[in-house]
Amino acid sequence: MLRVQKVKVDDIYVPTARRKTLHPETVRHLAEDILENGMKMPIQVRHDGKRHVLVEGLHRLEAAKWLGEETIDAYLVQARKH
């Protein structure tokens, strides 16, 4: 069973290919929703031995950064490299 962990936002690496899928307007709308309703679903990260690597939740991560959050709820998953 997956357990939610707090992960430092600045410690999460976003692969270059994932960054290309970012839509700033979506981040803004999501940040507004998070302010009103809170984060509904944790992001997913994997640990590569040195750092946390984003697997799922780019827009949620960027919205948390936009809101000035220092940590974010995340599931630590076993996932293959992109």
Side-chain angles (χ1 to χ4, degrees):
M1 186 166 142
L2 294 174
R3 199 178 74 218
V4 176
Q5 301 180 16
K6 291 280 188 192
V7 177
K8 287 186 178 181
V9 169
D10 292 339
D11 291 348
I12 300 171
Y13 171 73
V14 180
T16 305
R18 303 283 283 163
R19 286 188 207 133
K20 293 178 183 178
T21 64
L22 185 66
H23 300 286
E25 191 65 19
T26 302
V27 172
R28 186 178 67 77
H29 286 297
L30 190 52
E32 291 171 359
D33 185 63
I34 290 169
L35 276 176
E36 290 178 22
N37 305 305
M39 183 79 67
K40 295 178 183 134
M41 182 73 172
I43 64 170
Q44 293 181 19
V45 295
R46 65 179 174 82
H47 199 268
D48 71 356
K50 298 176 279 188
R51 60 187 175 190
H52 289 96
V53 179
L54 183 71
V55 173
E56 192 66 46
L58 176 63
H59 290 91
R60 285 171 279 166
L61 175 61
E62 292 300 320
K65 287 180 183 179
W66 194 74
L67 292 169
E69 298 291 333
E70 293 184 14
T71 61
I72 189 168
D73 288 344
Y75 290 128
L76 184 60
V77 298
Q78 300 294 322
R80 63 180 178 78
K81 297 177 183 176
H82 292 290

